[in-house]
Amino acid sequence: MPRTPMLRIALRNVFAHKARLLMTAFAVMLGVTFISGSLVYGDSQNRAATARATDGYERVAVSVASDVVPSSGGRAAGIDARTVRKLAKLPGVSVAAGRVDGFAAVDDRAGRLLGHGSHRGGNFAPGADGTDPAYHFTRGAGPTRDRTVALDESTAAKGGYRVGDTVRVGTDKGAASYTLSGVFRADGTKLPSGGSLTLFTAESAQRLFLAPGRYQNVELTAGPGVDVPQLLSRVEAVLPAGTSAVTGARLGQIEARLAAGDSDTMSQIMVGFAAVALFVAAFLISNTFTMLIARRTRELALMRAVGASRTQVRRVLLTESLLVGAVASAAGLVVGIGAAALLQKLFAPAETPAAPLVLAPTSVLVPLLTGTALTVLAAWLPSRRAMAVPPVAALAAAEPAAPARTGSRRTVFGAALLLTGTAAVVYGALTTGQDARTVIGGGAALVVTGAITLVPLLARPFVALLRPLLARVHPVHGDLAARNTVRDPRRTGATAAALAIALALASGLSVLGASATQYLDRATTHDFTADYLVKPAEGGMRMTPESAAPLEKLPGARFSPLNQSTDYRVGGVSSVLTGVDPATIGRLLRYDVVEGSLDRLAEGQVAVADFKARQAGWHVGQTLPLERGGGKRGSVTIGAVYRADEQSDLMPSITAPDSLVARYDSAPNTAGILVATDGGPGRAALAGVGHALGDNPALAVLDEDGIRAQDTSGIGDQLNLFYALLSMALVIAALGIANTLAMSVRERRTEIGTLRALGMDRAGVAGMIRVEALLVGALGAAVGTLTGVFLGWALGRTLQESVVGYALVIPWGRLALGVLLALAGALLASVGPARRAARGPNALVFSGR
């Protein structure tokens, strides 16, 4: 047969079977949509993050910064005003703006913290014309008098503030009320995304954040035509010791790399889930072409009988898959770009407009080539099997689907993969070391592949297990559905496998997420017996022991700061001491003392966590030499040993009386303040603690639920994102069920017509198809859920060595929800095929069709 008609034959076949190929093309389109949308959105986010991080550096020719930090001791930190004036007089410098910044949080009118993430404060540095090039004021003007501030427009909008309103701002020095002088827009170098920015006068900012008359850095703006490298040389020649200079362009490059790294992580996660979606789509594509080719066995045999070679017939089939894959991939690319644009608008920060889309060549070519190649590859295997059938045998009778036999090579291969993978996963779970998770990852791939290979073999026993239940619910329809489901185990297995992959990933994530959430919940709240924990707001102020002093005025309150002091060597072991109030700490934290007594804290002794004592070989009554950086020496005696989780944020590794810590460290960092009130927690008690602390928005007052929510919210957010991404795989798996049922209904027109002629009504036919869909969905859900729980257990085991107290938690409710969603998806996928089957005439069997 000549080659030229091959393309025409392929095109004719595609249009002849367009209804059957539609769902396959839709699955390819969904997978390509996911990966193209991920790539385009990731590139756009990278570009937007880079632009935001570098926004503003173009106006900075040279930046001068102090190398001395305020806590370092010795000479005063920062750059003095005399140096700023000297820099301003250098040739080529048009503006020298001294900058100082620190933590500043803003309350709304109800006393709630505005913004999330970083809360920053800075100074308004007007030039000779009264403007600051870093800020563009949309309302009012910059602060020029004491007790006046300006807010970024996003924060002002969230709080409903207008120029002239009173705004409460909290800093490390406490909270105070200010008059709002103006609202501004700032570039990316100043305004943290999602956070807040408050501008003070230079004098106020220096007093709050550094020291009077000193700046943390100076931004130099060059005049027109000034050579920046030459300006940098002039600046470096006059800089005092302890300061350094760098060009704004160099700072922009550093920030761009940091921003791109953060965006790349999210992009990689999305691309990973896109790969899962495409992998699931491969089963649908392969299954569809297998059924199509099986139905066209006579047609293909006739082509070979009239002179077409195996290569030519295979080329026709692969050309069909190429056409379907190319068209579907192109459609997926277009839809993916649209999805990326929608995501850009939905998730753009409120304070900035949506970034423009970036269409890089890779983001266009990779989805197109991947989708097309995957379609051709998925069609290659069934075309190869079809060519193995002799033309005479194919013309004599359609090749029946071969059932999965226990002794077949496929079964042996699948069993070998499953057993090898299971052994590797169990070995990795029961051993420790850095390679354990790598071993589990490799074993998991083998387990999933083996399980998918064996799903056809599991179809018969699984349906047999459910047949008694089906017989009770629908004696006739259920039995017919069970027989039809196992009529072609390979087709059923391939359809269920796609669903199994999605459920395996979702179930594994659910097990890990539930276990980690329970562990974090226990680690953060089990030892908490106080009513409230006072902590700095996120990214906030540094608390000191004096921060707790205002609570002395709160009637009936018992409290203790957690004064963390570092840089110790106790008994030759690097240690951190946490100073507490010996008189109240036993009421505020649950100390499970296993040896000694906590009362010995009042005698100047220390209490040690059991893991610390075990690692160092310490015991109660032992006196240890103590040395702190700076040459201070002494000794401590261990008065108690208590059980503690090494990962706990609250329970210290070494608890010491605050008087002992004060002896060696005059400025410890207060990690939090534990507070107990008369009558326990409540709205009035919460308001009382907040009021005693000056109603400072920089301080968060958390009860047990607040601590739990703060520490476990990150896991919940990540799981929700992963579930949303996995939903694409579930949609594709449901399409596979719909496609399989649709083709099965077409193949069984005569059979369904016979049933209608024998008295089965339309509802009975539709019910039979729905039960078939539910059986396929239940098989995939069962295999996927069991596989996911097993892999989740194994990965969790690798955490138990480093995370004491981590235990396996089976989230029965979440797993049941996953199974119900899978069954609901299968039932929804059966609606169309069931309707078509029910509409068939009852005399179809007599028509000869």
Side-chain angles (χ1 to χ4, degrees), residues 570 577-583 597-608 622-624 626 634-640 654-664:
V570 178
L577 270 60
T578 301
V580 300
D581 181 0
S597 172
L598 200 65
D599 294 337
R600 294 179 185 171
L601 288 174
E603 302 172 11
Q605 298 183 10
V606 299
V608 180
Q622 185 176 5
T623 299
L624 302 169
L626 178 148
S635 62
V636 292
T637 300
I638 299 176
I654 300 179
T655 303
D658 46 17
S659 58
L660 186 148
V661 168
R663 190 184 314 160
Y664 296 95

Side-chain angles (χ1 to χ4, degrees), residues 818-834:
V819 172
L820 289 176
L821 288 175
L823 295 178
L827 192 61
L828 187 62
S830 70
V831 171

Side-chain angles (χ1 to χ4, degrees), residues 830-844:
S830 70
V831 171
R835 184 182 295 125
R836 284 193 294 272
R839 288 177 178 174
N842 57 15
L844 182 61

Side-chain angles (χ1 to χ4, degrees), residues 674-698:
L674 299 166
V675 185
T677 57
D678 281 346
R683 183 174 298 178
L686 178 64
V689 173
H691 186 66
L693 293 169
D695 293 321
N696 191 343

Side-chain angles (χ1 to χ4, degrees), residues 202 219 386 402 415 514 534 647 664:
E219 295 176 350
V534 180
Q647 308 299 320
Y664 296 95

